Amino acid sequence: MSFLASNTLIAVPGGLTPISNLKIGDLALAWTATGVLEKAIIFSSGSEPGGRLTAMFIRTENSTLIVGLDQKMFLADQTLKKAHELIPGRDRLFKADGKSEEIKGVFAGTYHNGGHSCGHRW
C-alpha cells in the first residue's frame, strides 16, 4: 500500500498543505522529468491515528518522511524509486523548493499516527 503520514506536506498551487486536507477535485503538483504539472486529485482516503501501518521511515539531513513500502519517491536525478529500494548515502530526494536532500537512513517499522493516500491521473 502506498501512503504518506497524515501530516505530510504536499505541494499545491500556492504553497504546501497536509495530505489529509486534500479532497477530490483539489489540485496538487506532480514532478516529472520534464517539469511540474498541476493534477486534480481523483481519490483521497486515510486512516485515523491509533491504527498500525507498516511504513518506511526515510531520514534526511533535516527530517524523517514516513511513507508506505511501495511509495514512489522522485529523486534529484529525476528518476522514481520505491521507498524500500532507496539507498542511503547514494540517493537524494527532490524537494518542492527544487533543492535536494541526501538520504541518511531508510528503515521499516510500524507507524501509529494515521496515514493518507491520494491519487491523480497521469
Side-chain angles (χ1 to χ4, degrees):
M1 176 180 180
S2 184
F3 71 89
L4 299 172
S6 293
N7 61 352
T8 301
L9 296 177
I10 299 298
V12 296
L16 299 171
T17 190
I19 190 171
S20 57
N21 289 355
L22 292 175
K23 308 290 183 251
I24 294 172
D26 288 351
L27 294 176
L29 301 181
W31 274 258
T32 71
T34 58
V36 179
L37 304 173
E38 289 186 7
K39 301 299 258 177
I41 298 297
I42 61 169
F43 74 87
S44 181
S45 179
S47 66
E48 295 296 321
R52 295 173 53 102
L53 297 169
T54 301
M56 295 302 296
F57 295 78
I58 303 167
R59 189 172 50 84
T60 67
E61 299 166 29
N62 299 307
S63 64
T64 299
L65 186 61
I66 303 164
V67 303
L69 300 175
D70 290 334
Q71 178 68 44
K72 291 181 181 173
M73 309 303 295
F74 191 63
L75 303 180
D77 66 3
Q78 299 188 347
T79 60
L80 290 172
K81 191 181 270 192
K82 291 181 180 179
H84 71 272
E85 297 172 340
L86 294 171
I87 301 170
R90 184 184 308 169
D91 290 327
R92 297 184 66 84
L93 290 178
F94 184 82
K95 296 173 36 178
D97 63 7
K99 298 177 182 175
S100 67
E101 262 192 307
E102 181 181 335
I103 296 171
K104 299 289 190 178
V106 178
F107 62 95
T110 303
Y111 184 66
H112 300 278
N113 291 326
H116 202 91
S117 184
C118 287
H120 56 79
R121 287 194 178 95
W122 282 103

